[in-house]
């Protein structure tokens, strides 16, 4: 969400991201239940970027972003599912490993997630929710494949996942819940 031009109209994705940040702040005890309820209601009807920025202005910047995730593993499986906060960047360096990222109940605080992948003989499973778009154009595939749940373009994604890197004898699979 950009606060440089507060008069810009807010999108559904902008509102969703602010609501997610507010819920995290409420869960951390930074907001009372009354404050949380009031701010969420105001976020859902906000028309501009400035209105949304005012709702989170008194919250620390780290409440709005999650730390990067680094997955370095040889063999086995690694998974992130349930109510987790999606960072802006994930690094996946694996050999003979299955990695699952389930966005069904994830808290999305940024409009873009970059996943840097360096995988050999493995599988990356991405469980998407409505409003999530995956871009695999920057993946270098060697005896590897990408299986998408749908080729339909998401018009205004609340999360745009950019997959970059190299897959050797590996597979990326998008699944729907």
């Amino acid at each position: 969400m950009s606060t440089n031009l507060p008069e810009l109209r807010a999108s559904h994705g902008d509102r969703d991201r602010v609501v997610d940040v507010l819920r995290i702040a409420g869960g951390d005890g930074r907001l009372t239940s009354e404050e949380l309820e009031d701010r969420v209601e105001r976020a859902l009807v906000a028309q501009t970027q400035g209105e949304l920025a005012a709702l989170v202005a008194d919250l620390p910047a780290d409440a709005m972003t999650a730390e990067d995730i680094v997955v370095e593993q040889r063999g086995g499986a690694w998974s992130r599912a349930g109510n987790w906060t999606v960072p802006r960047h994930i690094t996946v360096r694996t050999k003979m490993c299955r990695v699952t990222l389930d966005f069904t109940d994830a808290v999305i605080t940024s409009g873009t997630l970059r996943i840097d992948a360096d995988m050999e003989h493995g599988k990356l499973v991405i469980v998407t929710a409505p409003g999530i778009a995956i871009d695999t154009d920057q993946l270098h595939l060697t005896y590897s494949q990408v299986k998408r749940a749908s080729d339909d373009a998401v018009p205004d994604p609340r999360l745009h996942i950019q997959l970059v890197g190299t897959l050797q004898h590996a597979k990326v699979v998008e699944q729907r819940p």
Side-chain angles (χ1 to χ4, degrees):
M1 181 178 63
S2 171
T3 57
N4 295 338
L5 298 170
E7 69 278 358
L8 285 180
R9 302 290 286 193
S11 71
H12 294 303
D14 295 330
R15 290 183 200 91
D16 290 342
R17 283 188 288 280
V18 168
V19 167
D20 287 342
V21 169
L22 292 170
R23 288 189 175 135
I24 291 169
D28 289 344
R30 296 182 191 281
L31 299 173
T32 66
S33 59
E34 294 82 16
E35 289 174 311
L36 175 61
E37 184 179 331
D38 175 60
R39 290 187 192 200
V40 167
E41 287 177 17
R42 290 174 32 209
L44 293 174
V45 297
Q47 295 182 3
T48 66
Q49 297 280 338
E51 291 173 70
L52 291 174
L55 294 172
V56 295
D58 62 341
L59 299 174
D62 66 342
M64 293 182 231
T65 59
E67 290 191 31
D68 291 352
I69 295 173
V70 178
V71 181
E72 291 186 273
Q73 189 163 323
R74 184 177 183 96
W78 187 96
S79 177
R80 185 61 54 104
N83 188 2
W84 61 288
T85 303
V86 178
R88 292 178 187 226
H89 185 251
I90 296 175
T91 301
V92 178
R93 287 189 290 268
T94 61
K95 292 182 181 180
M96 299 177 287
C97 182
R98 176 187 171 109
V99 175
T100 303
L101 299 171
D102 187 340
F103 294 92
T104 307
D105 296 316
V107 177
I108 299 169
T109 59
S110 174
T112 303
L113 166 62
R114 178 184 168 114
I115 300 175
D116 285 309
D118 182 5
M119 298 182 74
E120 291 182 40
H121 300 284
K123 183 186 252 185
L124 173 59
V125 178
I126 301 174
V127 182
T128 59
I132 295 178
I134 299 177
D135 176 6
T136 60
D137 292 342
Q138 295 182 44
L139 274 179
H140 300 285
L141 306 174
T142 303
Y143 300 110
S144 300
Q145 67 180 30
V146 175
K147 291 181 76 174
R148 305 287 301 273
S150 171
D151 289 330
D152 298 335
V154 178
D156 184 22
R158 65 187 179 105
L159 177 62
H160 181 215
I161 300 173
Q162 298 172 327
L163 274 168
V164 299
T166 304
L167 272 62
Q168 296 179 354
H169 302 279
K171 184 187 287 189
V172 173
V173 178
E174 177 189 7
Q175 294 178 349
R176 302 285 181 177

